Amino acid sequence: MMGSEPQSDHPLARGNAEDEESPHLPSEQMQTLALNDDDDDWDSAAGDVSSSKSYSNYRSAMTALSPSASEHHPLSPPPSVTAASDPLSAPPRSRSLDSPSYADVIVSPFHDRFPESNGSGEISDDAANSSSPRSESSGVEYLKIIVSNPQKEVEPSNSVVTRENTYTSYQITTSTNIADYGGSSFSVRRRFKDVVTLSDRLSESYRGFFIPPRPDKSVVESQVMQKQDFLEQRRVELEKYLKRLAKHPLIKKSDELRVFLTVNGRMPLPTSIDMASRMLDGAARLPKQLLGESSSVIEPQDVSHSAKGGRDILRYLKELKQSVVNDWGNTKAPLEEEDKEFLEKKVKMYDFERHLTSASKQAESLVKAQHDMGETLGELGLAFIKLTKFENEQATMNTQRARAGDMKYVATAAVKASRLYKGLNGQTVKHFDTLLEHMGMLLAAHNAFSDRASALLTVQTLISELSSLHSRAEKLEAASSKVFGGDKSRTRKLEDLKEAIKVTEDAKSCAIKEYERIMEHNRSEIQRLDRERQTDFVEMLKGLVTNQMSYHEKLGNEWAKVVEETRKYAKDST
Amino acid sequence: MITTEQEKSGSGTMGQSPRSPSSLPSFLKVSVTDPAKLGSGVQSYVSYKVITKTNLPEYDGNEKIVIRRYSDFVWLRDRLYEKYMGIFIPPLPEKSTVEKFRLSAEFIETRRQALDVFINRIAAHPELRQSEDLRIFLQASEQTMESARAVDTNIFTKSSDLMQIFKDVQSKVSHVLGKEKPVEESTAEYQNLKNYIFQLEDRLAEAQKHAYNLVKRHRELGQSLSDFGKAVKVLGNCEGDALGKAFSELGETAEIISSRLEKEAHSLLMDFEEPLKDYVRAIQSVKDTITERANAFRRQCELEEAIKFKEIDLQKLRLTRPDKVAEAEREFDELKADAAEATKRFETIVSRINDEMVRFQEQKTADIGLAFHEFAKGQARLANDVARAWSSLLPRVEACSA
């Protein structure tokens, strides 16, 4: 198996998810109807209603869960915003709901735990979300990144023929206390292509590590590219990606990331040259290699890179052949994956991935169901409010007024319940985020394991190469010993062969070292993943359970009020 | 089940029937129970047990049980509609046209409840409860009922038939009048009533629609929780120790809550959505009565106009054709009698509607108040149960991070 592209059809990275038609209430309707004074103001109700428009399934809800989509948590204290340093403008947040209860304290672990994370220009709950207990438990080293301010830019065309290219650049603001960065705050502009480059460079330098997958490239028309929704979604994805990179203990200190985040002006990392031109280069070399004019051995310095990304087509072909021989040949491979523990672990991980995926799907429908419940409660409340108004206006009898009054209690409770469900759902979505994060990590693990496999393949190829070189050398020696006095051309060939054997031996040692390195990276990453997963999942469970508990407690209280207010109608009271 | 709340009803005398022992208040309590599927195939139907308990002397015995089916109830309603002009006849649940749904347990249950409400409303109404047809319905043998039903379906099935008769009369009269524009009461009182009822219907129907959706949402949430619970349990098996157990219990909890939601969905349907639906139907019944009133008014007006013209004709005939006068005078008298009857009919309807509206509003406030109470109770209980279920999970989850 050759090294694969690090990013594929990953749910985390997926762009436009299916949009479902969710019935929404015109915000004007809600704003013109008056309610009791002790209710939250209608602006936030309207805000809730219109934000439900942007929600379709929970993945896109998550990407939309940014400061500009007001899915705010009604129970959290409004976080402090330092207007000067943050590039994002915060939307007005809703006031906290009434009666605080014990549950309020437990409900927002993210906010309570890291008060300092709100200080340095971060407002989104996402941001607080990412500063999880793992990387910040000692509050020692942090690396905070915000992506904002998409701007259209024009790339000047360098030829008369091609059109000017427009692209979007994003402002990337970093604040950090990591010493290597040589500063505490930076701001650069980058475009999506630069992120792709960063991702490619990282996957080359950090073979065997679980590198978070980057957001998908989207193959869409240029018109869509400039649409607000798309830009916003991409901005959120980019931010999440960079934050994940910043969480990785090694990558956060990497040169690649540092340079990406701090160096102003054009992207300082070498850009990935596309496959085609690599192939072209390689194709140009190939005939020379085959004819012996160019070196046909695999160089030691090359082995630390995967064959696929390089320009050495001959090597690529050799490794391809080796993989076929491995799969279909009769003899055992020259070196095999021996680590049983690893193999078992891999199987377990892939199993887990399947189950995680299906749990994530169910989580998604759960979120949708909660959302719909909130919507319908809201619509019911609204319908009763209209009825209340109507009866009051038309009342000719007191019984009508009494009924109108009763309806108002129910309407009020229904609207409040609707808001509670929306709040609950907002929190639920964030907690389920953990599932998606870990699915992403498992994808990263796939890539890391394929790095390992490709390194192994390189070793195997070199071993096969060596054995064939040795047998050619032997044959040559046997042949030339039969000729007395030696054969000039044969001797020279033999010397070349011996040279090739030496280089290949070196390459083999390097390849083995590389393979062992990658194995070690795999091992430590697996451990890190397991640890992090434990912690994250516990957090998630706690959060889910606490949220459900506290919101339902509140729901119970709201309805209990109505029970009292309508007690006179109860059957047993007659 | 709505019991007859005799003490509470508006106009009309409740309390003692003149012929019952003076020490006991009269009561008439009916229940519709035990739906049973009868017949087979296309002709299958559901029958209900109708149990009457009364001390009214017009009824034979204190308790009677008969078997009735939906079309029997329809018969009763149609008879009452035709005989008691101006009274809001309690509404019946709809016919169901979808074969599969017709025999589903939920449909049968909601229908049963609605029929029970229907018959008890009639029994509680001061005038309707005295109806002969009600007595037949509650007491007659099944065969009698069947033949009664067969006869009447031919003659007086719908009020639209009655209207057809009126329309024929109208058409005879209107060519004399030469008017096309329908005559309508112009009083503010009538117009307000009409507007009120029509607009109320719209708004109520909307509320009922959302109530029905809410029932669906409960079921959907329950379903998704159940699926989620299963998936999470599987996940728990992959993890070890405390975390794995926590996941399993999360799954358990989700499944428990799921069935609780399913139960609540049913209660919501029966105790909240159905009463709202009943309210909508009742409004439609009021609309029918208002239509009756409008027809009666029109007939009265047209007859009055016809009388005026007839009088003029009569004068003419007296001068020109004395031989035709006698017949014309007879016709004139008939016309006057018809007009008097139409006026009386119209006035009865108006007066009844006024009384009925008061009664109606009172009843609806009580009915809907109860529905609201049950709704809120259900939601509060559900929320508390759910909160409790989640909180029982908390210690297990906390144990994981220990």
Side-chain angles (χ1 to χ4, degrees), chain A residues 355 362 369 372 376 379 386 391 399-400 403 407 410 533 541-542 545 548-549 552 556 559 563 566 569, chain B residues 196 206 210 217 227 234 238-239 250 279 361-362 365 369-370 372-373 377 379 383 390-391 397 401:
Chain A
H355 298 138
Q362 300 308 335
D372 289 346
T376 302
E379 287 166 346
K386 284 197 239 178
E391 289 275 26
T399 45
Q400 282 173 286
R403 191 164 64 239
M407 264 179 200
V410 174
R533 192 184 61 248
L541 283 183
K542 265 202 233 164
V545 171
Q548 290 285 337
M549 226 175 75
H552 278 96
W559 290 113
V563 171
T566 55
Y569 299 108
Chain B
Y196 171 74
E206 198 190 324
H210 293 308
R217 300 292 174 240
D227 293 338
V234 170
C238 292
E239 297 276 358
L250 175 67
Y279 196 171
Q361 296 287 30
E362 265 176 36
T365 300
L370 176 64
F372 285 160
H373 183 72
K377 240 178 26 180
Q379 291 292 300
W390 287 110
S391 76
V397 170
S401 50

Side-chain angles (χ1 to χ4, degrees), chain A residues 106 109-110 113 132-134 352 431 434-435 438 529-547, chain B residues 235 239-247 250 393-402:
Chain A
I106 324 178
F110 299 127
R113 214 182 283 259
S132 70
R134 298 178 268 111
F352 183 76
H431 289 300
T434 308
L435 295 175
H438 278 272
L529 185 65
D530 280 346
R531 263 196 325 265
E532 285 182 7
R533 192 184 61 248
Q534 281 273 325
T535 323
D536 288 349
F537 277 13
V538 170
E539 271 306 304
M540 176 182 79
L541 283 183
K542 265 202 233 164
L544 281 173
V545 171
T546 328
N547 278 145
Chain B
L235 211 56
E239 297 276 358
D241 316 327
L243 187 57
K245 279 217 196 88
F247 267 112
L250 175 67
L393 195 53
L394 199 57
R396 173 72 69 188
V397 170
E398 309 238 278
C400 290
S401 50

Side-chain angles (χ1 to χ4, degrees), chain A residues 197-208:
Chain A
T197 307
L198 171 66
S199 167
D200 292 344
R201 296 288 81 76
L202 282 174
S203 56
E204 281 165 11
S205 312
Y206 288 88
R207 292 179 87 202

